[in-house]
Amino acid sequence: MSEEIKPTKITNLARAADGLSVGISIVVAIVIGFLIGWGLKSLSGSNLGLGIGIFIGVAAAINNVYKAYKSQLKTYEDLKEKDKLLKSVKNTSD
């Protein structure tokens, strides 16, 4: 028999906080890139600096999403391995 773990308030809150963290990191990366671009525009007087800064911010946001994805994938793989181990231990004890 497989026992399902029911989501609790704490697990739901943890998932929501994780998703919120990724969302905030996207916004912060783009805002920082914009500020860098604004500074480059002020220094050079060219709108190209603003474009470069926004590009840097968007690239950083994409990198943050990729890192979060890889972290979640690793967590999923670890849970899958733990589940296999628990099933094998349970089968040997029967």
Side-chain angles (χ1 to χ4, degrees):
M1 285 188 225
S2 67
E3 296 177 23
E4 283 191 35
I5 299 173
K6 294 182 181 177
T8 63
K9 286 185 179 182
I10 293 175
T11 57
N12 289 338
L13 284 174
R15 288 180 185 158
D18 193 35
L20 183 62
S21 171
V22 172
I24 290 173
S25 72
I26 291 170
V27 172
V28 168
I30 293 174
V31 167
I32 289 173
F34 175 79
L35 293 175
I36 290 171
W38 188 270
L40 289 173
K41 179 184 175 189
S42 298
L43 289 174
S44 68
S46 170
N47 285 336
L48 183 62
L50 185 60
I52 290 171
I54 292 173
F55 177 78
I56 290 171
V58 170
I62 291 170
N63 188 32
N64 288 341
V65 170
Y66 178 73
K67 286 180 182 179
Y69 168 74
K70 293 299 273 184
S71 174
Q72 289 295 324
L73 191 62
K74 182 175 177 358
T75 302
Y76 174 72
E77 293 296 327
D78 290 346
L79 286 174
K80 201 161 60 168
E81 288 296 319
K82 187 184 250 185
D83 188 42
K84 284 181 185 177
L85 181 64
L86 287 174
K87 284 181 182 179
S88 68
V89 168
K90 189 175 181 180
N91 288 339
T92 58
S93 66
D94 288 341

